[in-house]
Amino acid sequence: MDLRPFYADLHIHIGRTEEGQAVKISGSKDLTFYNIAREASYRKGMDMVGIIDCQSPSVQREMQQYLDKGEMEELAAGGIRYQQATVILGSEIEVRDPGMGTAHLLAYLPTLALMQEFTRWMSKHMKNVGLSSQRIYVPAKVLQDEVVGRGGLLVPAHIFTPHKSMYGSCSTRMEHVLDLDKIAAVELGLSADSEMAGAISELDRYTFLTNSDAHSLAKIGREYNLLQLAEPNFEELRKALAKQDGRFVLANYGLNPRLGKYHRTFCSACNTILDERETTVDRCIFCGSKKVVRGVMDRILDISDRSTPADTAHAVPFREVSTQPPNRPPYHYQIPLEYMPGLGPKKLNLLLDKFGTEMYVLHHVSHEELTQTIGEEIADFIVQAREDKLSLRTGGGGQYGKVMSASRKDKL
């Protein structure tokens, strides 16, 4: 069977239903099931998207309506097809075992019927199954068994973020909470990359995913994966995560972790990101306050079980402590078009009208073609982003980093 590359972003929220019912309170009202599928297919160029609020009964009713009208098709191998994009049905769920902190898990199921069955089970253990990312009052391993028992895939979400993640707030090891043999993959999150995650040996066996965690249509595809599949459907995704039959993750495309809003430790007393080679996570080095939010980088260094050279313990030594298994895909820093300085909605639409999708612009359009369409300065930004030459301001404490510029010597 012919295997081909497909783009996939597997963590996208629904803000509201078309009837106006809230699903993800912090999500845009334009994030409906249909709008996500359409944006992914026509503007973003995503072949596969995971919508992770499909446990909501109101969302399920909308899905069924589009299937009944024939505008969407449920695939025999799992997933719902709309034009060029396949929707994978998922749910983000909060767990908290006794003695542990909170963590978010992603559960993916192959069919609407199985997701509806899962909803009926969760509704017995959850206060409001219609809302996104709600706490379920069963042990994490019980939830895991329910997902896997229905033929689903379980993926710990944004595993290093300071709030509601497996390593950032729940525990120092996944084995304290989950059955390691029933984890399909792990999602790194916006503030970490493969090299950083390689500091923890427990993760060596798992496929890494880089997803957007989109709360608006524009954020779809800010992180994504390139998968080698025969077709974009659930069963092919299962094989890719398990590295079976020639299916696998070809590459992860993510923000430079410095752009993530929790990359470095942040002091809320003096609004300072502690982006220093020598720092402490207990007290701000500038004002002395203990009101600090520990960043992802600092947390990983703290819980790493691989040896850290004593003289570089606080000098961002990930290349010194990180191990990358031979079959781990490359991690490419990719900056979405939305982040490019000077590229507003009008010029973005010019690009998409001429070249089709954001994926095609980011990966294939030449500097000359870009210059002819939007001017040399923005064309420089896009091409320099491909080569990781842009200057970045580090994020932390809930504030995203920012693309600044490239040095003059790197100008094209």
Side-chain angles (χ1 to χ4, degrees), residues 58-251:
S58 60
V59 173
Q60 293 169 2
R61 288 193 294 271
E62 286 190 1
M63 285 190 276
Q64 190 63 61
Q65 290 170 6
Y66 283 105
L67 292 172
D68 292 342
K69 290 188 292 185
E71 294 187 36
M72 297 185 181
E73 174 192 5
E74 189 155 32
L75 303 177
I80 292 178
R81 187 75 171 169
Y82 174 78
Q83 300 298 331
Q84 303 304 311
T86 298
V87 176
I88 302 298
L89 309 186
S91 176
E92 184 173 43
I93 306 154
E94 183 176 303
V95 296
R96 185 169 187 173
D97 282 9
M100 301 292 177
T102 57
H104 282 181
L105 304 176
L106 302 173
Y108 301 101
L109 292 167
T111 67
L112 176 55
L114 284 170
M115 183 59 77
Q116 290 170 326
E117 180 185 299
F118 186 53
T119 293
R120 289 192 289 273
W121 174 78
M122 284 204 298
S123 65
K124 302 173 184 177
H125 309 284
M126 185 178 286
K127 291 181 179 179
N128 191 342
V129 76
L131 290 178
S132 175
S133 313
Q134 296 297 290
R135 174 82 59 85
I136 191 165
Y137 293 91
V138 300
K141 288 182 179 178
V142 171
L143 171 63
Q144 194 176 20
D145 287 341
E146 291 290 337
V147 173
V148 175
R150 289 179 170 83
L153 303 169
L154 186 125
V155 176
H158 43 71
I159 56 174
F160 296 114
T161 56
H163 308 292
K164 300 181 179 181
S165 76
M166 192 56 62
Y167 293 114
S169 58
C170 181
S171 185
T172 59
R173 293 292 177 268
M174 290 194 300
E175 66 180 352
H176 299 159
V177 185
L178 297 171
D179 183 338
L180 297 183
D181 293 330
K182 296 179 181 179
I183 296 173
V186 296
E187 181 187 73
L188 296 181
L190 303 182
S191 295
D193 59 17
S194 294
E195 185 176 71
M196 295 168 70
I200 298 175
S201 63
E202 186 180 53
L203 295 173
D204 289 352
R205 64 190 286 189
Y206 296 112
T207 295
F208 288 171
L209 291 173
T210 41
N211 300 315
S212 68
D213 195 356
H215 286 52
S216 68
L217 290 174
K219 294 294 190 294
I220 295 174
R222 63 178 168 182
E223 293 204 347
Y224 53 93
N225 313 274
L226 188 63
L227 310 180
Q228 178 161 287
L229 312 170
E231 295 290 341
N233 60 50
F234 186 90
E235 289 306 319
E236 288 287 306
L237 173 63
R238 183 199 302 279
K239 289 181 179 181
L241 299 186
K243 310 179 189 74
Q244 292 178 347
D245 301 331
R247 282 78 163 170
F248 58 95
V249 177
L250 285 165

Side-chain angles (χ1 to χ4, degrees), residues 4-56:
R4 297 179 290 130
F6 294 92
Y7 292 114
D9 177 1
L10 299 171
H11 189 151
I12 301 169
H13 282 283
I14 289 178
R16 300 288 188 276
T17 66
E18 292 177 15
E19 296 177 349
Q21 183 171 337
V23 179
K24 181 70 173 179
I25 302 299
S26 59
S28 167
K29 64 181 180 180
D30 296 329
L31 276 171
T32 65
F33 184 83
Y34 176 81
N35 284 349
I36 292 169
R38 181 176 177 81
E39 180 79 6
S41 180
Y42 286 107
R43 287 173 62 86
K44 294 296 182 176
M46 285 292 153
D47 303 294
M48 182 183 291
V49 288
I51 299 181
I52 51 83
D53 296 316
C54 292
Q55 86 294 330
S56 172

Side-chain angles (χ1 to χ4, degrees), residues 257-261 273 339 392-396 399-403:
R258 294 182 62 202
L259 288 172
K261 62 181 180 179
I273 293 173
Y339 281 67
L392 307 176
R393 186 176 69 193
T394 302
Q399 298 179 12
Y400 286 107
K402 186 178 180 180
V403 177

Side-chain angles (χ1 to χ4, degrees), residues 160 162 191-192 196 199 257-258 262-265 274-277 279 281 294-303 313-318 394:
F160 296 114
S191 295
M196 295 168 70
R258 294 182 62 202
Y262 296 114
H263 180 59
R264 293 308 313 264
T265 296
L274 308 185
D275 191 16
E276 301 291 330
R277 291 177 63 86
T279 188
V281 297
R294 180 179 293 185
V296 167
M297 192 194 81
D298 306 285
R299 173 63 172 171
I300 294 174
L301 288 175
D302 187 41
I303 66 174
H314 297 290
V316 200
F318 287 108
T394 302

Side-chain angles (χ1 to χ4, degrees), residues 204-387:
D204 289 352
R205 64 190 286 189
Y206 296 112
T207 295
F208 288 171
L209 291 173
T210 41
N211 300 315
S212 68
D213 195 356
H215 286 52
S216 68
L217 290 174
K219 294 294 190 294
I220 295 174
R222 63 178 168 182
E223 293 204 347
Y224 53 93
N225 313 274
L226 188 63
L227 310 180
Q228 178 161 287
L229 312 170
E231 295 290 341
N233 60 50
F234 186 90
E235 289 306 319
E236 288 287 306
L237 173 63
R238 183 199 302 279
K239 289 181 179 181
L241 299 186
K243 310 179 189 74
Q244 292 178 347
D245 301 331
R247 282 78 163 170
F248 58 95
V249 177
L250 285 165
N252 298 118
Y253 289 88
L255 298 176
N256 186 307
R258 294 182 62 202
L259 288 172
K261 62 181 180 179
Y262 296 114
H263 180 59
R264 293 308 313 264
T265 296
F266 178 82
C267 174
S268 59
C270 64
N271 293 322
T272 302
I273 293 173
L274 308 185
D275 191 16
E276 301 291 330
R277 291 177 63 86
E278 298 292 339
T279 188
T280 173
V281 297
D282 296 319
R283 188 182 293 273
C284 177
I285 61 174
F286 298 110
C287 73
S289 173
K290 292 187 176 182
K291 295 180 179 180
V292 294
V293 177
R294 180 179 293 185
V296 167
M297 192 194 81
D298 306 285
R299 173 63 172 171
I300 294 174
L301 288 175
D302 187 41
I303 66 174
S304 172
D305 60 340
R306 292 196 156 117
S307 59
T308 304
D311 60 339
T312 59
H314 297 290
V316 200
F318 287 108
R319 62 182 177 277
E320 303 290 341
V321 300
S322 180
T323 295
Q324 299 300 312
N327 60 355
R328 178 146 293 155
Y331 189 107
H332 300 294
Y333 292 151
Q334 182 63 70
I335 296 175
L337 294 180
E338 183 192 22
Y339 281 67
M340 299 297 174
L343 184 61
K346 185 176 180 179
K347 289 186 177 180
L348 175 58
N349 287 334
L350 283 175
L351 283 174
L352 298 182
D353 288 344
K354 184 173 180 60
F355 300 110
T357 67
E358 182 167 354
M359 289 301 101
Y360 190 78
V361 171
L362 287 172
H363 292 280
H364 302 295
V365 181
S366 69
H367 180 263
E368 181 180 0
E369 291 174 306
L370 291 168
T371 299
Q372 292 172 353
T373 307
I374 54 171
E376 185 174 10
E377 183 175 8
I378 301 175
D380 286 354
F381 277 123
I382 293 173
V383 175
Q384 288 160 1
R386 294 175 186 169
E387 301 170 353

